[in-house]
Amino acid sequence: MSDWRRIDIDGFDPDCRLTAKDLIPDYDREISLQELQPKIEQLRMLSSGGDIRGAIQLITEDPPYSADENTKKAYFHVVLETLSQVRQADIVNIVKELRVEQQVVLVKYLYKGMSLPEGQKQGGILLAWFEKLTQSSGVTPIIHYLSDRRTV
C-alpha cells in the first residue's frame, strides 16, 4: 500500500464504467446542407427584412450539431452575416431576451467566429457581442460552452 496514489478508485465503483465511446455525443442522424437550406433562407429573409431579434432567436434555437464540417461552415457564414447586421445599441436587448441555452449557442458561434479567418475580419462585431453577453449573463454561458462537447 506504499504506492497509494496509483490506486484506481473508479475500479471499486461498479457503476462507474465509462468508455471513450460514452463520452462522444450521439446524434440521431447527420444533417445535410439541403435540409438546412430552408432555415438558411428563413434567416436571410428575417435579417434582410429587419427582424434581427427573430433571426437571432432562430439561430440559437436549434443549431445543426449533427452536420458535417462543411455544412456547419456554410451555416456559420449566414450566422456571421446576421450577427454583423445588428447595431451595437440593440445587442444588449437581444441578449437579455435569450434563454441560457440560447446564450450558450451564441457563445459557441462567437468562439467559432473568432477562430476562423472569415470571423476574424468581423472581430470587432464578435467582440462587441461577447462583451454584451458577458455583461448581461456573466460567465455562465462560457462555462456551459467549455463543458459541452457539441460543436456548431
Side-chain angles (χ1 to χ4, degrees):
M1 202 62 161
S2 63
D3 198 13
W4 57 272
R5 289 180 220 150
R6 298 187 190 264
I7 295 175
D8 180 19
I9 59 168
D10 291 333
F12 295 107
D13 186 6
D15 295 331
C16 184
R17 298 287 181 223
L18 289 177
T19 63
K21 185 180 177 186
D22 294 332
L23 298 176
I24 298 172
D26 58 339
Y27 303 112
D28 293 338
R29 61 183 183 80
E30 192 169 297
I31 297 174
S32 67
L33 187 58
Q34 290 81 16
E35 292 174 288
L36 274 180
Q37 207 62 28
K39 188 173 181 178
I40 289 172
E41 293 302 320
Q42 186 179 6
L43 276 172
R44 286 190 173 135
M45 186 180 68
L46 286 171
S47 62
S48 65
D51 186 12
I52 298 297
R53 292 173 196 259
I56 300 297
Q57 290 284 338
L58 184 62
I59 287 169
T60 58
E61 192 60 43
D62 188 26
Y65 288 130
S66 61
D68 64 343
E69 287 304 313
N70 291 332
T71 304
K72 287 181 181 182
K73 194 170 184 179
Y75 185 72
F76 174 73
H77 286 293
V78 178
V79 170
L80 186 61
E81 288 173 17
T82 304
L83 291 175
S84 62
Q85 291 180 2
V86 179
R87 293 181 306 169
Q88 288 197 12
D90 296 336
I91 294 175
V92 175
N93 295 329
I94 293 172
V95 167
K96 286 182 180 179
E97 293 176 1
L98 298 176
R99 295 186 322 273
V100 174
E101 298 85 19
Q102 291 175 313
Q103 291 173 352
V104 172
V105 173
L106 182 59
V107 166
K108 289 179 183 184
Y109 281 120
L110 295 176
Y111 274 118
K112 182 172 185 151
M114 289 183 230
S115 69
L116 295 175
E118 304 88 20
Q120 291 171 0
K121 292 177 185 174
Q122 302 289 334
I125 295 167
L126 297 178
L127 287 174
W129 275 96
F130 195 78
E131 176 189 17
K132 303 299 181 192
L133 181 69
T134 54
Q135 285 176 352
S136 173
S137 305
V139 295
T140 303
I142 299 169
I143 292 171
H144 285 270
Y145 160 76
L146 292 173
S147 63
D148 195 356
R149 293 185 175 270
R150 299 173 296 177
T151 60
V152 292

